[in-house]
Amino acid sequence: MRHLARIEASVNQLNAILEEFLSVGRIEERKIDAHPGNLNLTSLVRDTVADVQSLLKAGQVIDWQVVCPVPVWLDASLLRKILMNLLSNSLKYSGQNSVITVRAGCQPKQLTITVQDQGVGISQEDQAHLFEQFFRAPSVVSEPGTGLGLYIIAKYVELMGGTIDLHSILGEGTLVTIRLPLSTPDYGR
């Protein structure tokens, strides 16, 4: 059973790497578009948090909250991929018994999502390069990765007309803030 678990983990890791490379190809060929639709933000966050439960280290907890009194009209698939990547990074680069905090809040015209961890953090110098392809900060090279995740997230956020900001302190953790414009569907009016 132990060998099967290792094989399954390796296959999942290879699939994730392949998906990242395919995503970069589609982005560079401009074959990805945002397809907004009506989405339930609370369900999307809850389901994404549930999907990353297998990545939790001993004692890690994801504390999440959604406060969004307005309807959300965004690309659910892209938003889910963004959140999944941010959560995966936070869990990977944070130690045992740490808390990852996810907050999503809406104003009439903007959705703000924050993901904060208590991980290894990123130096000020390295933060300038985080959204470049294949960049991996020296503080995280001991963990497996391709250096494509944040690049892909930034491109998805850009496709959705939003912004992404990252604030980190080496040895203390990282806070990522995503702001996406909210609009209402245009039914041909």
Side-chain angles (χ1 to χ4, degrees):
M1 291 307 289
R2 188 178 46 158
H3 293 299
L4 285 176
R6 279 191 193 149
I7 291 169
E8 182 180 13
S10 294
V11 167
N12 289 338
Q13 184 178 4
L14 287 173
N15 280 337
I17 290 169
L18 180 60
E19 180 59 36
E20 284 183 343
F21 280 106
L22 291 172
S23 293
V24 168
R26 289 189 295 264
I27 288 168
E28 290 177 347
E29 294 172 4
R30 301 190 191 284
K31 290 187 176 180
I32 295 181
D33 292 315
H35 299 285
N38 194 23
L39 71 90
N40 182 320
L41 187 60
T42 300
S43 294
L44 186 138
V45 172
R46 180 189 61 234
D47 294 348
T48 306
V49 168
D51 286 347
V52 297
Q53 292 299 305
S54 64
L55 303 177
L56 292 173
K57 295 174 185 166
Q60 280 185 329
V61 175
I62 299 173
D63 174 23
W64 66 275
Q65 181 181 28
V66 175
V67 178
C68 192
V70 297
V72 177
W73 184 261
L74 288 169
D75 187 313
S77 175
L78 291 180
L79 188 56
R80 183 178 175 80
K81 289 174 184 174
I82 290 166
L83 188 56
M84 182 75 95
N85 193 298
L86 292 175
L87 285 171
S88 297
N89 282 350
S90 289
L91 293 168
K92 182 178 4 178
Y93 299 122
S94 295
Q96 296 181 356
N97 303 310
S98 59
V99 177
I100 286 75
T101 305
V102 179
R103 297 291 181 260
C106 298
Q107 274 94 37
K109 301 256 183 217
Q110 179 175 279
L111 166 64
T112 302
I113 298 175
T114 61
V115 178
Q116 184 169 15
D117 64 48
Q118 301 168 330
V120 296
I122 304 153
S123 73
Q124 196 67 37
E125 308 83 65
D126 291 334
Q127 288 179 44
H129 303 286
L130 282 179
F131 298 107
E132 297 172 6
Q133 283 187 39
F134 303 111
F135 179 79
R136 300 204 63 224
S139 60
V140 299
V141 292
S142 62
E143 293 289 338
T146 61
L148 292 172
L150 289 176
Y151 169 79
I152 293 168
I153 288 173
K155 292 299 183 183
Y156 288 168
V157 169
E158 184 181 309
L159 278 171
M160 296 170 73
T163 61
I164 183 168
D165 297 303
L166 186 140
H167 175 73
S168 188
I169 298 174
L170 200 56
E172 292 185 24
T174 301
L175 170 66
V176 177
T177 303
I178 294 174
R179 291 179 182 85
L180 297 169
L182 290 178
S183 61
T184 54
D186 180 8
Y187 295 113
R189 293 180 200 158

